[in-house]
Amino acid sequence: MGIDLPLLWAIIILFSIMMYVVMDGFDLGIGILYPFFQEKSERDVMMNTVAPVWDGNETWLVLGGAGMLAAFPLAYSVVLSACCLPLSFMLMGLIFRGVAFEFRFKAREHERHVWDKAFIGGSVAAAFFQGVTLGATIQGMPVVKRSYAGGALDWLTPFSLFTGVGLVVAYALLGSTWLIMKTQGSLQARAGRITRTLVWLLLGVIAIISAWTPLVDPAIAARWFSLPQLFWFLPVPLLVLGAGWLLLRSLRRGRQTAPFLLTLALVFLGYSGLGVSVWPNIIPPSVSIWEASSPPQSQGFTLVGALFIIPVILMYTVWSYYVFRGKVHPEDGYH
């Protein structure tokens, strides 16, 4: 029995995207939360909590994109054609916030507000347009003769815009719980108050998207609500409610690490729910991972490199987080 290379590559790409959402989500969330913290010292601490790791986090985005190009070139070309504008806006947002990281601490006092605004705008734009691209992919892309057959603005729908807002909320919650874990004092207390509001917002977003997604495609509705699949998938919403309740309880009890871990659980459950909705299609509603895959020779060749580089990325990621573990204090400099 041979190895199912398209399935293996789909797992690698899904893992890379999930790692990006987890690892880069909280530092995008820091930028989204910047307007709620006006003191320069607080903003310095917020940025210092992610400064040592933010650029390494984006490695997962590069790996996911490169993996899709190598393993599923049809999906890469269709998604890039259908979502050219939101993906371009996302990249511009990532560029602005990356530049703001380096220039904010070097700017004169009267110029720092410019880089603060670049950091906020870049973070919000990157998060929002990532969500828009996700929503546009879920709602489906027409493919005729292995080419995108839709319009340049087909991605611009109420559903995709709402998923964009939803991802901004999710990243903001990751950022606020990260601050609870990495800071102390008044900054930590304010992050805790913001987190309580964001938990309810995210639960509401998950509920709306869960109800809206089956309306986008009848096949998704049939998958979730027909028997016996209903019994297999019913634990997902129950686990979301359970994780939300535990998250709120951990905030009431003053826990510092548990809120971040439980937020990761919420994000993972939402991610898995969307995956269940479209699987095994990589281009909804009708192009599967096997139909969109590259030749086995190409997938096998690039798999060798992927199986070498992924452990390396995991090792230096774990090492960097270990080195910069613990609380960040106001007297700590930018590194």
Side-chain angles (χ1 to χ4, degrees), residues 117-138:
K117 290 180 175 64
F119 186 56
I120 295 167
S123 300
V124 173
F128 177 73
F129 286 108
Q130 285 175 20
V132 167
T133 303
L134 174 64
T137 303
I138 292 171

mmCIF file with all atom_site columns, all heavy atoms in Angstrom, residues 117-138:
data_model
loop_
_atom_site.group_PDB
_atom_site.id
_atom_site.type_symbol
_atom_site.label_atom_id
_atom_site.label_alt_id
_atom_site.label_comp_id
_atom_site.label_asym_id
_atom_site.label_entity_id
_atom_site.label_seq_id
_atom_site.pdbx_PDB_ins_code
_atom_site.Cartn_x
_atom_site.Cartn_y
_atom_site.Cartn_z
_atom_site.occupancy
_atom_site.B_iso_or_equiv
_atom_site.pdbx_formal_charge
_atom_site.auth_seq_id
_atom_site.auth_comp_id
_atom_site.auth_asym_id
_atom_site.auth_atom_id
_atom_site.pdbx_PDB_model_num
ATOM 1   N N   . LYS A 1 117 ? 0.868   54.005 15.118 1.00 0.00 ? 117 LYS A N   1
ATOM 2   C CA  . LYS A 1 117 ? -0.277  53.881 14.205 1.00 0.00 ? 117 LYS A CA  1
ATOM 3   C C   . LYS A 1 117 ? 0.005   52.840 13.119 1.00 0.00 ? 117 LYS A C   1
ATOM 4   O O   . LYS A 1 117 ? -0.892  52.091 12.710 1.00 0.00 ? 117 LYS A O   1
ATOM 5   C CB  . LYS A 1 117 ? -0.617  55.237 13.585 1.00 0.00 ? 117 LYS A CB  1
ATOM 6   C CG  . LYS A 1 117 ? -1.202  56.234 14.565 1.00 0.00 ? 117 LYS A CG  1
ATOM 7   C CD  . LYS A 1 117 ? -1.508  57.563 13.877 1.00 0.00 ? 117 LYS A CD  1
ATOM 8   C CE  . LYS A 1 117 ? -2.202  58.534 14.829 1.00 0.00 ? 117 LYS A CE  1
ATOM 9   N NZ  . LYS A 1 117 ? -1.344  58.927 15.960 1.00 0.00 ? 117 LYS A NZ  1
ATOM 10  N N   . ALA A 1 118 ? 1.255   52.782 12.634 1.00 0.00 ? 118 ALA A N   1
ATOM 11  C CA  . ALA A 1 118 ? 1.616   51.771 11.640 1.00 0.00 ? 118 ALA A CA  1
ATOM 12  C C   . ALA A 1 118 ? 1.502   50.370 12.229 1.00 0.00 ? 118 ALA A C   1
ATOM 13  O O   . ALA A 1 118 ? 1.043   49.434 11.555 1.00 0.00 ? 118 ALA A O   1
ATOM 14  C CB  . ALA A 1 118 ? 3.035   52.020 11.130 1.00 0.00 ? 118 ALA A CB  1
ATOM 15  N N   . PHE A 1 119 ? 1.898   50.230 13.484 1.00 0.00 ? 119 PHE A N   1
ATOM 16  C CA  . PHE A 1 119 ? 1.807   48.935 14.160 1.00 0.00 ? 119 PHE A CA  1
ATOM 17  C C   . PHE A 1 119 ? 0.348   48.519 14.339 1.00 0.00 ? 119 PHE A C   1
ATOM 18  O O   . PHE A 1 119 ? -0.015  47.366 14.081 1.00 0.00 ? 119 PHE A O   1
ATOM 19  C CB  . PHE A 1 119 ? 2.505   49.032 15.515 1.00 0.00 ? 119 PHE A CB  1
ATOM 20  C CG  . PHE A 1 119 ? 2.614   47.730 16.244 1.00 0.00 ? 119 PHE A CG  1
ATOM 21  C CD1 . PHE A 1 119 ? 3.223   46.633 15.659 1.00 0.00 ? 119 PHE A CD1 1
ATOM 22  C CD2 . PHE A 1 119 ? 2.116   47.600 17.530 1.00 0.00 ? 119 PHE A CD2 1
ATOM 23  C CE1 . PHE A 1 119 ? 3.331   45.427 16.341 1.00 0.00 ? 119 PHE A CE1 1
ATOM 24  C CE2 . PHE A 1 119 ? 2.216   46.404 18.217 1.00 0.00 ? 119 PHE A CE2 1
ATOM 25  C CZ  . PHE A 1 119 ? 2.836   45.317 17.623 1.00 0.00 ? 119 PHE A CZ  1
ATOM 26  N N   . ILE A 1 120 ? -0.501  49.461 14.750 1.00 0.00 ? 120 ILE A N   1
ATOM 27  C CA  . ILE A 1 120 ? -1.926  49.169 14.929 1.00 0.00 ? 120 ILE A CA  1
ATOM 28  C C   . ILE A 1 120 ? -2.579  48.841 13.591 1.00 0.00 ? 120 ILE A C   1
ATOM 29  O O   . ILE A 1 120 ? -3.240  47.811 13.432 1.00 0.00 ? 120 ILE A O   1
ATOM 30  C CB  . ILE A 1 120 ? -2.641  50.363 15.585 1.00 0.00 ? 120 ILE A CB  1
ATOM 31  C CG1 . ILE A 1 120 ? -2.115  50.595 16.996 1.00 0.00 ? 120 ILE A CG1 1
ATOM 32  C CG2 . ILE A 1 120 ? -4.160  50.140 15.616 1.00 0.00 ? 120 ILE A CG2 1
ATOM 33  C CD1 . ILE A 1 120 ? -2.541  51.930 17.598 1.00 0.00 ? 120 ILE A CD1 1
ATOM 34  N N   . GLY A 1 121 ? -2.387  49.739 12.609 1.00 0.00 ? 121 GLY A N   1
ATOM 35  C CA  . GLY A 1 121 ? -3.020  49.542 11.307 1.00 0.00 ? 121 GLY A CA  1
ATOM 36  C C   . GLY A 1 121 ? -2.550  48.277 10.618 1.00 0.00 ? 121 GLY A C   1
ATOM 37  O O   . GLY A 1 121 ? -3.358  47.536 10.032 1.00 0.00 ? 121 GLY A O   1
ATOM 38  N N   . GLY A 1 122 ? -1.249  47.999 10.687 1.00 0.00 ? 122 GLY A N   1
ATOM 39  C CA  . GLY A 1 122 ? -0.723  46.793 10.065 1.00 0.00 ? 122 GLY A CA  1
ATOM 40  C C   . GLY A 1 122 ? -1.258  45.531 10.718 1.00 0.00 ? 122 GLY A C   1
ATOM 41  O O   . GLY A 1 122 ? -1.584  44.553 10.029 1.00 0.00 ? 122 GLY A O   1
ATOM 42  N N   . SER A 1 123 ? -1.359  45.540 12.045 1.00 0.00 ? 123 SER A N   1
ATOM 43  C CA  . SER A 1 123 ? -1.867  44.365 12.764 1.00 0.00 ? 123 SER A CA  1
ATOM 44  C C   . SER A 1 123 ? -3.334  44.111 12.438 1.00 0.00 ? 123 SER A C   1
ATOM 45  O O   . SER A 1 123 ? -3.738  42.971 12.165 1.00 0.00 ? 123 SER A O   1
ATOM 46  C CB  . SER A 1 123 ? -1.684  44.558 14.275 1.00 0.00 ? 123 SER A CB  1
ATOM 47  O OG  . SER A 1 123 ? -0.330  44.719 14.619 1.00 0.00 ? 123 SER A OG  1
ATOM 48  N N   . VAL A 1 124 ? -4.146  45.171 12.470 1.00 0.00 ? 124 VAL A N   1
ATOM 49  C CA  . VAL A 1 124 ? -5.576  45.013 12.178 1.00 0.00 ? 124 VAL A CA  1
ATOM 50  C C   . VAL A 1 124 ? -5.779  44.569 10.734 1.00 0.00 ? 124 VAL A C   1
ATOM 51  O O   . VAL A 1 124 ? -6.572  43.664 10.452 1.00 0.00 ? 124 VAL A O   1
ATOM 52  C CB  . VAL A 1 124 ? -6.327  46.327 12.456 1.00 0.00 ? 124 VAL A CB  1
ATOM 53  C CG1 . VAL A 1 124 ? -7.783  46.227 11.989 1.00 0.00 ? 124 VAL A CG1 1
ATOM 54  C CG2 . VAL A 1 124 ? -6.289  46.668 13.943 1.00 0.00 ? 124 VAL A CG2 1
ATOM 55  N N   . ALA A 1 125 ? -5.051  45.194 9.799  1.00 0.00 ? 125 ALA A N   1
ATOM 56  C CA  . ALA A 1 125 ? -5.209  44.845 8.378  1.00 0.00 ? 125 ALA A CA  1
ATOM 57  C C   . ALA A 1 125 ? -4.799  43.406 8.115  1.00 0.00 ? 125 ALA A C   1
ATOM 58  O O   . ALA A 1 125 ? -5.504  42.666 7.404  1.00 0.00 ? 125 ALA A O   1
ATOM 59  C CB  . ALA A 1 125 ? -4.381  45.798 7.516  1.00 0.00 ? 125 ALA A CB  1
ATOM 60  N N   . ALA A 1 126 ? -3.666  42.974 8.683  1.00 0.00 ? 126 ALA A N   1
ATOM 61  C CA  . ALA A 1 126 ? -3.213  41.599 8.461  1.00 0.00 ? 126 ALA A CA  1
ATOM 62  C C   . ALA A 1 126 ? -4.227  40.601 8.999  1.00 0.00 ? 126 ALA A C   1
ATOM 63  O O   . ALA A 1 126 ? -4.569  39.620 8.321  1.00 0.00 ? 126 ALA A O   1
ATOM 64  C CB  . ALA A 1 126 ? -1.849  41.388 9.121  1.00 0.00 ? 126 ALA A CB  1
ATOM 65  N N   . ALA A 1 127 ? -4.723  40.833 10.208 1.00 0.00 ? 127 ALA A N   1
ATOM 66  C CA  . ALA A 1 127 ? -5.692  39.914 10.803 1.00 0.00 ? 127 ALA A CA  1
ATOM 67  C C   . ALA A 1 127 ? -7.003  39.915 10.023 1.00 0.00 ? 127 ALA A C   1
ATOM 68  O O   . ALA A 1 127 ? -7.566  38.855 9.715  1.00 0.00 ? 127 ALA A O   1
ATOM 69  C CB  . ALA A 1 127 ? -5.941  40.298 12.257 1.00 0.00 ? 127 ALA A CB  1
ATOM 70  N N   . PHE A 1 128 ? -7.500  41.097 9.689  1.00 0.00 ? 128 PHE A N   1
ATOM 71  C CA  . PHE A 1 128 ? -8.793  41.202 9.014  1.00 0.00 ? 128 PHE A CA  1
ATOM 72  C C   . PHE A 1 128 ? -8.759  40.529 7.645  1.00 0.00 ? 128 PHE A C   1
ATOM 73  O O   . PHE A 1 128 ? -9.652  39.737 7.302  1.00 0.00 ? 128 PHE A O   1
ATOM 74  C CB  . PHE A 1 128 ? -9.177  42.671 8.866  1.00 0.00 ? 128 PHE A CB  1
ATOM 75  C CG  . PHE A 1 128 ? -10.464 42.893 8.106  1.00 0.00 ? 128 PHE A CG  1
ATOM 76  C CD1 . PHE A 1 128 ? -11.690 42.593 8.675  1.00 0.00 ? 128 PHE A CD1 1
ATOM 77  C CD2 . PHE A 1 128 ? -10.442 43.391 6.813  1.00 0.00 ? 128 PHE A CD2 1
ATOM 78  C CE1 . PHE A 1 128 ? -12.867 42.783 7.972  1.00 0.00 ? 128 PHE A CE1 1
ATOM 79  C CE2 . PHE A 1 128 ? -11.614 43.588 6.103  1.00 0.00 ? 128 PHE A CE2 1
ATOM 80  C CZ  . PHE A 1 128 ? -12.829 43.283 6.686  1.00 0.00 ? 128 PHE A CZ  1
ATOM 81  N N   . PHE A 1 129 ? -7.721  40.784 6.865  1.00 0.00 ? 129 PHE A N   1
ATOM 82  C CA  . PHE A 1 129 ? -7.694  40.239 5.507  1.00 0.00 ? 129 PHE A CA  1
ATOM 83  C C   . PHE A 1 129 ? -7.317  38.757 5.489  1.00 0.00 ? 129 PHE A C   1
ATOM 84  O O   . PHE A 1 129 ? -7.658  38.051 4.533  1.00 0.00 ? 129 PHE A O   1
ATOM 85  C CB  . PHE A 1 129 ? -6.787  41.074 4.617  1.00 0.00 ? 129 PHE A CB  1
ATOM 86  C CG  . PHE A 1 129 ? -7.400  42.394 4.239  1.00 0.00 ? 129 PHE A CG  1
ATOM 87  C CD1 . PHE A 1 129 ? -6.931  43.581 4.789  1.00 0.00 ? 129 PHE A CD1 1
ATOM 88  C CD2 . PHE A 1 129 ? -8.473  42.445 3.375  1.00 0.00 ? 129 PHE A CD2 1
ATOM 89  C CE1 . PHE A 1 129 ? -7.520  44.793 4.463  1.00 0.00 ? 129 PHE A CE1 1
ATOM 90  C CE2 . PHE A 1 129 ? -9.069  43.653 3.039  1.00 0.00 ? 129 PHE A CE2 1
ATOM 91  C CZ  . PHE A 1 129 ? -8.597  44.836 3.585  1.00 0.00 ? 129 PHE A CZ  1
ATOM 92  N N   . GLN A 1 130 ? -6.658  38.273 6.519  1.00 0.00 ? 130 GLN A N   1
ATOM 93  C CA  . GLN A 1 130 ? -6.524  36.824 6.655  1.00 0.00 ? 130 GLN A CA  1
ATOM 94  C C   . GLN A 1 130 ? -7.897  36.188 6.846  1.00 0.00 ? 130 GLN A C   1
ATOM 95  O O   . GLN A 1 130 ? -8.221  35.155 6.239  1.00 0.00 ? 130 GLN A O   1
ATOM 96  C CB  . GLN A 1 130 ? -5.623  36.477 7.834  1.00 0.00 ? 130 GLN A CB  1
ATOM 97  C CG  . GLN A 1 130 ? -4.149  36.701 7.583  1.00 0.00 ? 130 GLN A CG  1
ATOM 98  C CD  . GLN A 1 130 ? -3.311  36.461 8.816  1.00 0.00 ? 130 GLN A CD  1
ATOM 99  O OE1 . GLN A 1 130 ? -3.735  35.793 9.758  1.00 0.00 ? 130 GLN A OE1 1
ATOM 100 N NE2 . GLN A 1 130 ? -2.104  37.003 8.828  1.00 0.00 ? 130 GLN A NE2 1
ATOM 101 N N   . GLY A 1 131 ? -8.726  36.793 7.691  1.00 0.00 ? 131 GLY A N   1
ATOM 102 C CA  . GLY A 1 131 ? -10.071 36.288 7.910  1.00 0.00 ? 131 GLY A CA  1
ATOM 103 C C   . GLY A 1 131 ? -10.937 36.396 6.671  1.00 0.00 ? 131 GLY A C   1
ATOM 104 O O   . GLY A 1 131 ? -11.742 35.502 6.377  1.00 0.00 ? 131 GLY A O   1
ATOM 105 N N   . VAL A 1 132 ? -10.794 37.486 5.923  1.00 0.00 ? 132 VAL A N   1
ATOM 106 C CA  . VAL A 1 132 ? -11.547 37.652 4.675  1.00 0.00 ? 132 VAL A CA  1
ATOM 107 C C   . VAL A 1 132 ? -11.179 36.550 3.678  1.00 0.00 ? 132 VAL A C   1
ATOM 108 O O   . VAL A 1 132 ? -12.055 35.960 3.028  1.00 0.00 ? 132 VAL A O   1
ATOM 109 C CB  . VAL A 1 132 ? -11.282 39.040 4.069  1.00 0.00 ? 132 VAL A CB  1
ATOM 110 C CG1 . VAL A 1 132 ? -11.796 39.118 2.635  1.00 0.00 ? 132 VAL A CG1 1
ATOM 111 C CG2 . VAL A 1 132 ? -11.942 40.128 4.910  1.00 0.00 ? 132 VAL A CG2 1
ATOM 112 N N   . THR A 1 133 ? -9.880  36.256 3.564  1.00 0.00 ? 133 THR A N   1
ATOM 113 C CA  . THR A 1 133 ? -9.437  35.188 2.658  1.00 0.00 ? 133 THR A CA  1
ATOM 114 C C   . THR A 1 133 ? -9.996  33.836 3.092  1.00 0.00 ? 133 THR A C   1
ATOM 115 O O   . THR A 1 133 ? -10.430 33.034 2.252  1.00 0.00 ? 133 THR A O   1
ATOM 116 C CB  . THR A 1 133 ? -7.898  35.141 2.620  1.00 0.00 ? 133 THR A CB  1
ATOM 117 O OG1 . THR A 1 133 ? -7.386  36.415 2.214  1.00 0.00 ? 133 THR A OG1 1
ATOM 118 C CG2 . THR A 1 133 ? -7.414  34.076 1.658  1.00 0.00 ? 133 THR A CG2 1
ATOM 119 N N   . LEU A 1 134 ? -9.997  33.599 4.397  1.00 0.00 ? 134 LEU A N   1
ATOM 120 C CA  . LEU A 1 134 ? -10.586 32.358 4.910  1.00 0.00 ? 134 LEU A CA  1
ATOM 121 C C   . LEU A 1 134 ? -12.062 32.261 4.557  1.00 0.00 ? 134 LEU A C   1
ATOM 122 O O   . LEU A 1 134 ? -12.534 31.222 4.073  1.00 0.00 ? 134 LEU A O   1
ATOM 123 C CB  . LEU A 1 134 ? -10.399 32.298 6.429  1.00 0.00 ? 134 LEU A CB  1
ATOM 124 C CG  . LEU A 1 134 ? -11.084 31.139 7.156  1.00 0.00 ? 134 LEU A CG  1
ATOM 125 C CD1 . LEU A 1 134 ? -10.496 29.805 6.708  1.00 0.00 ? 134 LEU A CD1 1
ATOM 126 C CD2 . LEU A 1 134 ? -10.958 31.299 8.668  1.00 0.00 ? 134 LEU A CD2 1
ATOM 127 N N   . GLY A 1 135 ? -12.802 33.334 4.785  1.00 0.00 ? 135 GLY A N   1
ATOM 128 C CA  . GLY A 1 135 ? -14.227 33.329 4.469  1.00 0.00 ? 135 GLY A CA  1
ATOM 129 C C   . GLY A 1 135 ? -14.485 33.142 2.991  1.00 0.00 ? 135 GLY A C   1
ATOM 130 O O   . GLY A 1 135 ? -15.406 32.412 2.587  1.00 0.00 ? 135 GLY A O   1
ATOM 131 N N   . ALA A 1 136 ? -13.678 33.810 2.158  1.00 0.00 ? 136 ALA A N   1
ATOM 132 C CA  . ALA A 1 136 ? -13.845 33.668 0.705  1.00 0.00 ? 136 ALA A CA  1
ATOM 133 C C   . ALA A 1 136 ? -13.573 32.238 0.258  1.00 0.00 ? 136 ALA A C   1
ATOM 134 O O   . ALA A 1 136 ? -14.238 31.724 -0.650 1.00 0.00 ? 136 ALA A O   1
ATOM 135 C CB  . ALA A 1 136 ? -12.911 34.636 -0.021 1.00 0.00 ? 136 ALA A CB  1
ATOM 136 N N   . THR A 1 137 ? -12.616 31.578 0.897  1.00 0.00 ? 137 THR A N   1
ATOM 137 C CA  . THR A 1 137 ? -12.313 30.191 0.540  1.00 0.00 ? 137 THR A CA  1
ATOM 138 C C   . THR A 1 137 ? -13.452 29.261 0.952  1.00 0.00 ? 137 THR A C   1
ATOM 139 O O   . THR A 1 137 ? -13.845 28.367 0.189  1.00 0.00 ? 137 THR A O   1
ATOM 140 C CB  . THR A 1 137 ? -11.005 29.746 1.212  1.00 0.00 ? 137 THR A CB  1
ATOM 141 O OG1 . THR A 1 137 ? -9.943  30.639 0.825  1.00 0.00 ? 137 THR A OG1 1
ATOM 142 C CG2 . THR A 1 137 ? -10.644 28.328 0.814  1.00 0.00 ? 137 THR A CG2 1
ATOM 143 N N   . ILE A 1 138 ? -13.995 29.468 2.131  1.00 0.00 ? 138 ILE A N   1
ATOM 144 C CA  . ILE A 1 138 ? -15.081 28.607 2.612  1.00 0.00 ? 138 ILE A CA  1
ATOM 145 C C   . ILE A 1 138 ? -16.316 28.739 1.732  1.00 0.00 ? 138 ILE A C   1
ATOM 146 O O   . ILE A 1 138 ? -16.979 27.743 1.419  1.00 0.00 ? 138 ILE A O   1
ATOM 147 C CB  . ILE A 1 138 ? -15.423 28.951 4.077  1.00 0.00 ? 138 ILE A CB  1
ATOM 148 C CG1 . ILE A 1 138 ? -14.270 28.556 4.998  1.00 0.00 ? 138 ILE A CG1 1
ATOM 149 C CG2 . ILE A 1 138 ? -16.720 28.255 4.519  1.00 0.00 ? 138 ILE A CG2 1
ATOM 150 C CD1 . ILE A 1 138 ? -14.424 29.059 6.404  1.00 0.00 ? 138 ILE A CD1 1
#
